[in-house]
Amino acid sequence: MSSSPSSAHWLSLVGSVWLQTINGPNADFPVYSSQLKEIKGISQVRLNFLASASDVGKVFGWFAGVAALHLPLWAVALTGAAFGLVGYGVQFLFLDSPRLAYWHLFLLTSLAGNGICWINTVCYLLCINNFPSDSRVAVSLATSYLGLSAKFYTTVAETLPRAARARYSTTKVYLLLNAVVPMAVTLVAAPSLRVVEMVKEECSRNKRRSQAPFLAMFAITLATGACAIIGSVGAKSIGLSTREHMVSFFVLLALPLLIPVGLRVRKSMAKIREAKWENRVHDHDSDGPETAVSVSVVEIEVVEDKREEEEQRQEAEQQSSSSSSQEEVGGLRLLRKLDFWLYFFSYMFSGTLGLVFLNNLGQIAESRGLADASTLVSLSSSFGFFGRLLPAFLDYYTAKNANDEQERLLAI
């Protein structure tokens, strides 16, 4: 059964949300960094270099963009998950072996970090191509879930069977999750990782209908963030067990599926109503006078022609405005853009400071006398999720006001 265009678009956004949720396996590094330091006998300085190894692998993330030009998006995502499977899987298998040297750990972590770029590239392309008029909102929504990665992995680790946690050290548990979970989720989401073309008559309808699904998505996202914070602060204090919190958290992550399902059901109901209306017209044609039927048919055709002309005019205006505001820039031209260097230096001197803090949360927790750093890591992840979500609200209301202004000008 084929999906309708709008439901297929939203299904791809759900797949992007799931991929972003699990696409930050390096975010749980502070939970096991102190134990890893003891197991491998490395200094704090070398541990800091190892924490940045994932970011070193992202330097070569442009390979993912090149691959996306020649491979299906699902293949690009699976390649990134495979890099993580190898990078963290080999560390899990040979962590206790002295043959796994420090430089092996560095290269394997860099490979896994490069895999993150491949999955990110797929998510960005899906949001931009499947939501051309709301691409900024879709990208902001999907990437906000990247902030929940550490919370996701700590929640799963805490709810593993006691036998598994007793058999493996904390470091090996997280290495195993980092290797297996991205591949499993990517395989599940792979069928939805495709760019869906919309026919002309669906473009304007999808634009008018996109407001309600986005509002529903924002509500689900806020509920997910609230659940993450409650579980991080202390689920037991409100009478919620760890397993119950995990179930509620996973249900909220699966809840966005209701949006494409609801759109699919609505389109099916619309087709049923259209078929009933055509049957009534057919019955009227067989019983009523021919002149009345011909007049009604002409009136319907005139109305349809006017509506199609208006939709085509609005679509042409939208395409012209979007083409004037967006420009494809590549190669050396990018280095001559002021916006590129502003983004580069702002990320270098601001975003990297946050990474240094997050990578050393394990040592910070240890210095404050906390036996388990997972609580601090999951709490910072939950609040970081809301920090990433704020631009999505701003993008949504900015785009909404711009669209309203455009429609007002077209009406004039």
Side-chain angles (χ1 to χ4, degrees):
M1 182 175 64
S2 60
S3 301
S4 64
S6 58
S7 65
H9 284 90
W10 280 96
L11 187 61
S12 70
L13 181 60
V14 174
S16 300
V17 164
W18 289 353
L19 289 181
Q20 289 292 289
T21 303
I22 52 87
N23 198 33
N26 58 324
D28 59 25
F29 179 78
V31 180
Y32 62 88
S33 59
S34 297
Q35 191 179 76
L36 178 64
K37 177 182 175 181
E38 296 177 1
I39 294 175
K40 302 307 293 183
I42 58 180
S43 64
Q44 182 62 42
V45 175
R46 303 186 81 186
L47 184 67
N48 289 336
F49 280 118
L50 188 60
S52 63
S54 178
D55 298 316
V56 172
K58 294 175 184 177
V59 174
F60 303 96
W62 56 272
F63 280 110
V66 176
L69 297 175
H70 306 283
L71 297 175
L73 292 182
W74 60 265
V76 177
L78 286 176
T79 302
F83 286 169
L85 181 64
V86 174
Y88 289 114
V90 173
Q91 294 184 56
F92 166 78
L93 293 175
F94 301 101
L95 182 65
D96 300 325
S97 174
R99 291 180 296 177
L100 188 66
Y102 173 80
W103 67 273
H104 293 146
L105 293 175
F106 192 92
L107 291 179
L108 290 171
T109 305
S110 299
L111 178 64
N114 184 257
I116 294 176
C117 298
W118 290 66
I119 297 179
N120 279 338
T121 300
V122 171
C123 295
Y124 295 154
L125 290 176
L126 286 174
C127 294
I128 292 172
N129 294 325
N130 283 344
F131 294 87
S133 59
D134 299 296
S135 58
R136 293 184 304 173
V137 184
V139 170
S140 298
L141 263 174
T143 53
S144 65
Y145 277 83
L146 185 63
L148 283 180
S149 289
K151 172 61 182 175
F152 178 87
Y153 284 105
T154 54
T155 301
V156 175
E158 290 172 357
T159 54
L160 287 176
R162 291 183 179 179
R165 285 184 288 177
R167 180 179 179 183
Y168 299 115
S169 63
T170 302
T171 302
K172 299 198 72 171
V173 167
Y174 278 95
L175 289 175
L176 179 61
L177 291 177
N178 293 348
V180 174
V181 170
M183 177 58 74
V185 175
T186 303
L187 288 174
V188 172
S192 66
L193 306 181
R194 59 190 180 93
V195 176
V196 184
E197 298 291 337
M198 279 197 300
V199 293
K200 289 184 178 180
E201 58 267 20
E202 290 287 344
C203 291
S204 58
R205 295 177 186 176
N206 186 71
K207 183 180 177 181
R208 291 194 297 267
R209 294 174 181 174
S210 62
Q211 184 175 359
F214 269 118
L215 292 176
M217 190 67 193
F218 277 125
I220 295 172
T221 304
L222 289 174
T224 305
C227 178
I229 290 179
I230 291 174
S232 301
V233 173
K236 295 181 180 179
S237 60
I238 60 173
L240 191 67
S241 66
T242 304
R243 190 168 298 276
E244 289 173 342
H245 167 65
M246 184 197 70
V247 171
S248 60
F249 184 59
F250 284 3
V251 168
L252 287 171
L253 288 176
L255 207 57
L257 272 177
L258 293 180
I259 296 176
V261 171
L263 292 175
R264 176 63 181 174
V265 171
R266 184 170 65 177
K267 183 172 184 180
S268 299
M269 297 299 295
K271 287 183 177 181
I272 294 174
R273 289 194 297 269
E274 184 179 354
K276 290 182 179 179
W277 182 82
E278 290 178 353
N279 291 333
R280 285 198 295 269
V281 171
H282 177 73
D283 295 338
H284 181 70
D285 187 12
S286 60
D287 297 335
E290 294 182 358
T291 56
V293 173
S294 61
V295 170
S296 62
V297 170
V298 170
E299 291 177 350
I300 292 175
E301 290 179 351
V302 170
V303 172
E304 289 292 329
D305 291 339
K306 289 182 178 180
R307 184 177 63 82
E308 291 179 358
E309 291 177 0
E310 182 66 20
E311 290 178 353
Q312 291 176 359
R313 185 172 67 86
Q314 292 181 0
E315 183 183 355
E317 292 287 341
Q318 179 183 357
Q319 291 178 351
S320 62
S321 61
S322 61
S323 61
S324 61
S325 60
Q326 296 181 359
E327 180 184 3
E328 288 291 336
V329 180
L332 296 178
R333 289 185 60 193
L334 184 64
L335 300 179
R336 295 196 294 266
K337 291 288 184 179
L338 178 62
D339 293 342
F340 168 78
W341 291 108
L342 289 175
Y343 176 80
F344 179 83
F345 286 111
S346 63
Y347 190 80
M348 173 180 289
F349 295 112
S350 61
T352 51
L353 296 178
L355 291 176
V356 172
F357 169 75
L358 294 175
N359 289 335
N360 288 278
L361 271 180
Q363 283 66 47
I364 294 174
E366 187 177 358
S367 66
R368 303 302 295 178
L370 296 177
D372 187 9
S374 61
T375 302
L376 187 59
V377 172
S378 61
L379 186 62
S380 64
S381 173
S382 302
F383 280 104
F385 166 74
F386 279 105
R388 291 173 176 268
L389 184 61
L390 181 60
F393 286 105
L394 298 177
D395 288 337
Y396 174 75
Y397 284 106
T398 301
K400 182 177 181 298
N401 292 334
N403 290 334
D404 293 342
E405 182 66 19
Q406 183 179 0
E407 291 179 359
R408 186 182 67 81
L409 293 176
L410 290 176
I412 295 175

